Amino acid sequence: MTSGLRERKKLATRLALHQTALQLVAERGLDGVSVDDIAGRAGVSPRTFFNYFPTKDDAVVGIDASAVGQAAERFAARPAHESPVEALRAVHAQQAAEMAGEPETLWPLRLRVIDEHPVLIARLHAVFGSAERALAEAIAVRTGTTVGADLYPTLLAAVSGVAVRAALHAWLASDFTESLPALVDEAWDVLAAGLPAPRP
């Protein structure tokens, strides 16, 4: 088996486990689902399950740990003439388009299930927090600042994460009828304008 085919099979198995975990929790609730249930419906062994996810909760949230640094890597690769905000907006536009283009029910089901289980919200926030820390380091490199000693990199990383999360909440509230890329862009527009109060 070639390395490319092996990698595609691993990704397919990981996605199948994630989708199965989401579907089962949507049907039975988080406490009504075990690792054995997820593995059994996905047609793999519990041992195989643990090759992909350390816990049931991680399988439900389904965000690959290797993807945590993806935004930081994309940010670092943006053209040098872009300001940090312009570069981040471009990165988030790409991310939003990819999220909206995933299998039709994946993000909607993920957000609904997570919204119904506070422990999963905490897990998702932990993932976002790791991504923001990696992004802050990339912002510091680009701007010649230092994480911790200077406010700018940590603040911009955190604000950018809030913009994406606010867009995801609005997407959920619209029952996924709104465009996620448009909502992310709107969130950045509001930030760029200095957070003016909405007009009645």
Side-chain angles (χ1 to χ4, degrees):
M1 185 184 296
T2 66
S3 60
L5 178 58
R6 189 182 302 109
E7 190 61 29
R8 287 195 296 274
K9 288 192 71 172
K10 286 174 65 177
L11 288 173
T13 300
R14 191 180 192 289
L15 179 60
L17 284 167
H18 171 46
Q19 290 179 314
T20 299
L22 280 174
Q23 290 161 357
L24 283 170
V25 172
E27 293 167 10
R28 306 178 188 175
L30 188 63
D31 292 338
V33 177
S34 68
V35 167
D36 286 348
D37 294 330
I38 297 167
R41 185 178 287 191
V44 301
S45 68
R47 181 178 177 179
T48 296
F49 173 94
F50 288 115
N51 288 336
Y52 292 89
F53 297 103
T55 68
K56 174 183 69 176
D57 291 0
D58 287 293
V60 177
V61 172
I63 297 177
D64 191 347
S66 66
V68 164
Q70 185 182 70
E73 291 167 5
R74 289 178 173 179
F75 174 81
R78 295 298 303 175
H81 66 81
E82 293 179 344
S83 71
V85 169
E86 288 170 337
L88 269 178
R89 288 192 71 155
V91 168
H92 285 164
Q94 181 181 357
Q95 282 185 325
E98 290 171 354
M99 290 162 69
E102 282 185 358
E104 188 173 302
T105 61
L106 185 56
W107 263 101
L109 182 57
R110 179 188 281 151
L111 289 176
R112 287 192 178 106
V113 167
I114 290 172
D115 192 56
E116 291 171 3
H117 299 87
V119 66
L120 297 179
I121 295 174
R123 184 71 194 97
L124 185 62
H125 283 179
V127 173
F128 282 144
S130 296
E132 286 173 17
R133 287 189 291 274
L135 185 55
E137 293 289 350
I139 293 168
V141 170
R142 190 182 185 102
T143 58
T145 55
T146 302
V147 173
D150 299 301
L151 284 173
Y152 187 84
T154 303
L155 181 60
L156 181 56
V159 167
S160 72
V162 170
V164 173
R165 290 195 289 277
L168 286 171
H169 283 298
W171 197 33
L172 174 62
S174 77
D175 201 24
F176 308 100
T177 57
E178 297 286 342
S179 162
L180 179 59
L183 289 168
V184 170
D185 200 45
E186 180 184 350
W188 273 107
D189 283 342
V190 172
L191 288 173
L195 293 172
R199 293 184 178 180

